[in-house]
Amino acid sequence: MNKVWGYDYLGDSRTVDVHVKRLRKKLEGADRPWRIATVWGVGYKFEVQADVP
């Protein structure tokens, strides 16, 4: 968050987590299996899972 908003950001530290939670909920009904994976100690990554026959 410091790289995006700077050290003097006065918002809540859970802001990113709340937005990711909302994105995950919206992606649940997608045609393709989309996923936002948590990378512990780093952040998040967006994945599109390959179709498995």
Side-chain angles (χ1 to χ4, degrees):
M1 286 189 353
N2 293 334
K3 289 182 180 181
V4 176
W5 290 301
Y7 289 101
D8 57 345
Y9 175 67
L10 299 176
D12 193 293
S13 63
R14 303 292 298 187
T15 299
V16 175
D17 298 326
V18 171
H19 285 291
V20 168
K21 178 181 176 182
R22 290 177 181 168
L23 284 171
R24 284 178 172 155
K25 186 167 180 78
K26 288 182 179 186
L27 291 173
E28 281 178 1
D31 292 338
R32 293 191 64 177
W34 304 73
R35 179 173 112 118
I36 298 175
T38 302
V39 181
W40 295 105
V42 177
Y44 300 96
K45 67 180 180 177
F46 185 75
E47 298 178 336
V48 178
Q49 298 173 349
D51 295 331
V52 179

